[in-house]
Amino acid sequence: MSENGIVYVVDDDAAVRESLVWLLGSVGLRAIPFASAAAFLGSYEDSGNCCLVSDVRMPGMSGLELQKALNARGIKVPLILMTAFGDVSTAVTAMKAGAVDFIEKPFDNQNMLDLINTALQADAARRKGEEAEVENAQLLARLTPQEHRVFERVVAGLSNREIGSEMDISIKTVEVHRARVMRKLEANSVAELVRFHIHNAPPASAEDSERA
């Protein structure tokens, strides 16, 4: 269980909120309760790894309406819905719209903790992936247009001679550009360059589009 995770609890039933806050606190998680979806939306700020546990049926904004509002605002908080037996089909619909899971009331405490743990792990992985994307984009931005063209040809499997012939530059110049690409992208081998390209393929240049 992540010690740094925050679990937002949205339920109009005070007893449910208090029970969840106690449960989560008992395993070292910080829980922030809200009596309504509107209250949560009005105070939410992205402060790191988190997930959201919300009831489906509430006065005012329902759990599904909360989900739609989150999606509309681009808030990527993993959502777990608490539902009564008659709301299962509604919860399934919510999962198809992006909710990570649902749990029926009254719920087993361990099942709830397992769902929350999974949601927090998923959020942590998403955040790590987004951070890596930003870092890799910054690395790619270091390359000059000429280095981009050499990079594309290296990962396509062309030899220095073939790259030089296509770009009408000397093999020595290709070697210089290739070394700079390796250094700027912090790669120690062509295999690392290929892996980098697979996960962060830059847009093809006009020249490369014509070649294709």
Side-chain angles (χ1 to χ4, degrees), residues 52-187:
L52 168 63
V53 180
S54 174
D55 194 17
V56 171
R57 293 193 178 186
M58 297 180 288
M61 182 180 291
S62 69
L64 292 184
E65 291 170 335
L66 171 57
Q67 181 185 35
K68 291 179 181 178
L70 293 172
N71 291 339
R73 300 184 186 192
I75 299 176
K76 300 177 182 180
V77 177
L79 172 63
I80 298 169
L81 290 171
M82 296 181 289
T83 175
F85 176 77
D87 293 326
V88 170
S89 62
T90 300
V92 171
T93 298
M95 287 186 66
K96 291 179 179 179
V100 296
D101 218 322
F102 69 90
I103 188 167
E104 293 183 55
K105 292 180 176 181
F107 51 79
D108 176 81
N109 285 348
Q110 188 57 55
N111 286 344
M112 174 63 86
L113 290 175
D114 289 344
L115 288 180
I116 288 173
N117 184 44
T118 298
L120 288 174
Q121 290 176 349
D123 192 54
R126 174 187 66 79
R127 291 174 183 275
K128 184 176 180 180
E130 291 178 349
E131 290 174 0
E133 287 180 3
V134 171
E135 292 173 358
N136 290 337
Q138 292 172 342
L139 293 180
L140 279 171
R142 298 177 180 179
L143 302 184
T144 66
Q146 190 81 324
E147 289 165 354
H148 265 292
R149 289 189 282 273
V150 170
F151 171 50
E152 289 291 337
R153 287 162 175 79
V154 169
V155 297
L158 275 64
S159 67
N160 288 353
R161 184 178 298 277
E162 290 169 328
I163 294 172
S165 177
E166 281 201 8
M167 296 180 61
D168 195 25
I169 57 178
S170 70
I171 294 178
K172 182 62 176 178
T173 300
V174 173
E175 291 174 348
V176 170
H177 285 315
R178 184 168 176 158
R180 289 174 179 170
V181 168
M182 297 282 286
R183 185 180 70 255
K184 290 181 178 181
L185 297 186
E186 301 178 358

